[in-house]
Amino acid sequence: MEERTYEPEISIGKIIYRIFRDWRKIFVIALIIAVIAGAGNFVLKKVKTSDGEYLKKVEENFARELTAFEATGATLQREIINLEETRSQREEYNEASILMKINPFREFNASLQLYIATDYQIVPELTYQNIDLSNRILRSYVTYMLNGGMYQYIMDHLSQPVELRYLKEVLSISPDYDNRMVTLSVRHVDVQECEEILNYALEAITAKQSEIVEAIGEHELNSVNQAVYEAVNLELDEWQKANIQYVSELSIILQEKAEEYAKWEASPRPQKEYTVSGIVKNSIKKMILGFLVGAVLAAAFIAFYYIMSDKLQDANDLKGRFGLRVIAQIPRVHKSRVFVGFDRLFARMGGLPFKESDVAALAMVAAGSVMAELSAREICEVQGGEKEKEKNLKIAFTGNIAFEEVKKLLSEMGLENKAFARCVPNILRDPGAVPAVMEADYVILVEAQERSTYSEIERELEQLLAWKKKVLGVVVVDVDAIP
């Protein structure tokens, strides 16, 4: 036999078809595993629940799980409420705050300094000096400014109402007790607003002077270094952007928390597994999981078996492996099956070229092909020989299948009673097959898909080569076809 080097190609499409073709086997295996997993889980749970100590532990675990589950939902609700309130407050602040309205590249500022002057003098010749009240007077003014009195006076007189917290952001007070001075600074969106606030602040302080004079002592309140100017405040720009960004971040966090809460609501509540309904539900889950695992394992086994098997899987492989011509492929006809529509669909997806209904026609086509080739060879041998009359050639049909199946094939091909066609048992197992093959001029192998093996076909070819018998080709029976 001619030496051939053949490396079989692994076709993903064929593997997938083999898996889908055997979907009934996969379903049955998966169903068996599912039943075993579900029944085993049910029995195991029932045995465990018969123990009182185990039931007590399960009850405690259920209580803990339920408490943790409800606490998670309550925590998410509180977080969502807090985030909504924080975002609402921050949005309200950004809309009403004067600082948020100021253009940081055109920030208007106004400031003045108030100086406290008294008639206090140090008399060197006196051992005991009079008390200097300047510091007390300045502290009284600062206290009045900071405790809300001055702010209230300003808010009562402003043309545009403003809340105290926003006023305190733009009006700052900086006392200097060493030099008996206090600085008032205002920043706003324009000059008029700055001057208005500063003027009302000065009016409020001036109105307070008589009360402080009566309570502490005489003094003068002088206004110095009053100025209005425009500035660029990059720190304010960054602060405004941070405020706006913070609102956006709050919205994102709130959305994430809302989604998390929705998932929590959709998630199943902890169930008591030791109840009958709980055991049944858990067993059903195990069955579903077992079914999926079983289906995957069965499909993986079918694919692995297809790749590693030595059995004839595809008739076209015989040409690549042994150089044999495939004379015909005879489909296998299945009995009536339920859900045959799935088989038909998967067969078409697998690209099968034949239909089961074509068996008779394919057998007759194969017979015609054999007879035509035999006639051609008879004519060639007569023309090339010394005899003038035609020589009647004989063909032996044999293969790695049962003798009765070979006879059945010849019957289907209409060659059963033909003198040139002879049915021969398996030459590897039946000693009586050797003389029958030796009497024939040519041999046609008859092999069955998924029953004949490549190793046995190779041994058959080696034997025929040793006997110097020509193999016309091979007929493969039981091939897959569209139902």
Side-chain angles (χ1 to χ4, degrees):
M1 187 176 66
E2 182 183 356
E3 291 291 334
R4 288 179 176 270
T5 301
Y6 177 75
E7 295 182 1
E9 296 182 358
I10 299 176
S11 173
I12 300 299
K14 291 181 179 179
I15 293 175
I16 294 175
Y17 162 69
R18 290 293 179 181
I19 292 173
F20 282 117
R21 188 199 67 173
D22 295 333
W23 67 270
R24 287 185 176 83
K25 295 179 182 178
I26 295 175
F27 180 82
V28 171
I29 294 172
L31 186 61
I32 293 173
I33 295 177
V35 171
I36 293 174
N41 181 77
F42 183 83
V43 173
L44 183 62
K45 291 286 185 182
K46 289 295 290 183
V47 171
K48 285 186 176 180
T49 52
S50 62
D51 184 3
E53 188 68 22
Y54 173 78
L55 284 177
K56 183 179 179 181
K57 292 181 180 179
V58 169
E59 182 70 32
E60 293 175 354
N61 291 336
F62 169 74
R64 284 195 295 268
E65 291 177 1
L66 183 61
T67 301
F69 179 82
E70 294 176 345
T72 300
T75 301
L76 289 172
Q77 281 184 321
R78 287 195 301 270
E79 291 178 349
I80 291 173
I81 292 173
N82 292 337
L83 286 169
E84 288 176 343
E85 290 180 353
T86 303
R87 185 181 66 173
S88 178
Q89 292 172 358
R90 181 60 65 172
E91 288 176 344
E92 179 184 351
Y93 171 82
N94 289 347
E95 184 177 351
S97 173
I98 297 174
L99 286 181
M100 292 297 295
K101 297 177 182 177
I102 296 175
N103 183 355
F105 299 98
R106 292 196 66 190
E107 181 188 68
F108 292 93
N109 294 266
S111 65
L112 64 82
Q113 290 179 319
L114 294 177
Y115 175 72
I116 305 299
T118 62
D119 58 356
Y120 173 76
Q121 292 183 352
I122 297 176
V123 182
E125 60 270 16
L126 294 179
T127 303
Y128 177 78
Q129 302 291 329
N130 293 329
I131 299 175
D132 186 1
L133 301 176
S134 301
N135 217 358
R136 296 182 183 179
I137 294 171
L138 179 58
R139 290 182 182 276
S140 297
Y141 278 111
V142 172
T143 301
Y144 168 69
M145 296 176 191
L146 297 177
N147 67 5
M150 182 187 70
Y151 290 113
Q152 188 61 49
Y153 182 90
I154 297 172
M155 289 189 295
D156 292 341
H157 292 80
L158 284 176
S159 58
Q160 298 293 332
V162 63
E163 293 185 25
L164 177 61
R165 56 176 175 169
Y166 303 131
L167 179 61
K168 285 186 175 182
E169 287 180 344
V170 296
L171 175 58
S172 59
I173 301 166
S174 303
D176 182 1
Y177 296 106
D178 294 333
N179 296 311
R180 306 173 186 176
M181 300 178 67
V182 60
T183 302
L184 281 74
S185 302
V186 181
R187 49 181 175 170
H188 217 293
V189 295
D190 55 37
V191 175
Q192 291 76 16
E193 297 289 346
C194 290
E195 290 180 340
E196 183 181 17
I197 293 175
L198 198 60
N199 290 335
Y200 284 130
L202 189 56
E203 285 184 13
I205 295 170
T206 303
K208 189 68 176 178
Q209 183 176 4
S210 59
E211 182 180 337
I212 295 176
V213 167
E214 182 179 352
I216 301 177
E218 290 289 341
H219 63 277
E220 291 182 2
L221 190 60
N222 300 316
S223 175
V224 296
N225 297 329
Q226 185 170 352
V228 178
Y229 58 93
E230 182 180 340
V232 174
N233 191 341
L234 297 180
E235 292 183 358
L236 177 61
D237 181 52
E238 293 295 328
W239 180 83
Q240 290 176 344
K241 291 178 180 177
N243 267 355
I244 297 172
Q245 180 64 27
Y246 181 58
V247 174
S248 300
E249 292 174 355
L250 285 175
S251 299
I252 295 173
I253 296 173
L254 182 60
Q255 179 65 27
E256 292 175 351
K257 290 296 179 181
E259 292 175 356
E260 189 175 349
Y261 183 73
K263 290 181 180 179
W264 175 84
E265 283 187 318
S267 63
R269 294 174 62 85
Q271 301 293 328
K272 294 183 178 180
E273 296 184 357
Y274 54 86
T275 62
V276 175
S277 61
I279 294 175
V280 171
K281 289 180 180 178
N282 187 262
S283 298
I284 292 175
K285 292 180 181 178
K286 297 294 185 183
M287 288 182 66
I288 295 173
L289 181 60
F291 184 87
L292 296 176
V293 172
V296 172
L297 292 177
F301 175 79
I302 290 173
F304 181 77
Y305 181 81
Y306 172 76
I307 295 172
M308 302 301 297
S309 176
D310 185 49
K311 290 185 177 181
L312 173 59
Q313 302 287 349
D314 191 339
N316 296 323
D317 288 344
L318 296 175
K319 181 177 181 181
R321 284 177 179 266
F322 309 114
L324 293 175
R325 181 173 73 90
V326 179
I327 297 173
Q329 299 183 53
I330 310 300
R332 175 174 50 183
V333 179
H334 294 88
K335 296 180 180 179
S336 179
R337 295 175 293 177
V338 295
F339 303 112
V340 71
F342 289 107
D343 300 293
R344 190 174 294 115
L345 173 64
F346 297 145
R348 287 173 177 165
M349 290 173 58
L352 299 185
F354 308 113
K355 294 182 179 180
E356 292 183 5
S357 58
D358 297 336
V359 171
L362 292 173
M364 296 307 297
V365 170
S369 176
V370 171
M371 294 176 67
E373 184 172 355
L374 189 60
S375 297
R377 288 178 180 270
E378 286 179 348
I379 294 173
C380 289
E381 290 194 12
V382 169
Q383 291 177 350
E386 297 179 354
K387 298 181 180 179
E388 295 182 355
K389 62 178 182 179
E390 292 186 355
K391 180 182 179 181
N392 294 322
L393 300 179
K394 296 181 180 180
I395 300 177
F397 287 81
T398 185
N400 187 31
I401 59 175
F403 180 72
E404 290 75 14
E405 291 186 74
V406 180
K407 290 180 66 177
K408 180 182 177 183
L409 174 63
L410 288 179
S411 176
E412 292 175 350
M413 295 173 65
L415 303 179
E416 186 177 18
N417 299 320
K418 298 295 182 179
F420 64 85
R422 185 171 185 180
C423 182
V424 179
N426 190 334
I427 61 175
L428 299 179
R429 296 183 177 87
D430 193 332
V434 178
V437 172
M438 295 301 295
E439 291 178 1
D441 298 290
Y442 298 102
V443 177
I444 292 180
L445 294 179
V446 182
E447 308 295 343
Q449 179 178 299
E450 297 189 45
R451 284 191 287 149
S452 300
T453 62
Y454 294 116
S455 58
E456 289 181 332
I457 295 172
E458 184 176 10
R459 288 170 58 199
E460 287 177 327
L461 293 174
E462 288 175 350
Q463 293 282 29
L464 295 172
L465 179 63
W467 301 340
K468 300 190 182 304
K469 292 298 176 181
K470 296 181 181 179
V471 179
L472 294 183
V474 60
V475 177
V476 181
V477 299
D478 289 351
V479 299
D480 291 334
I482 300 173

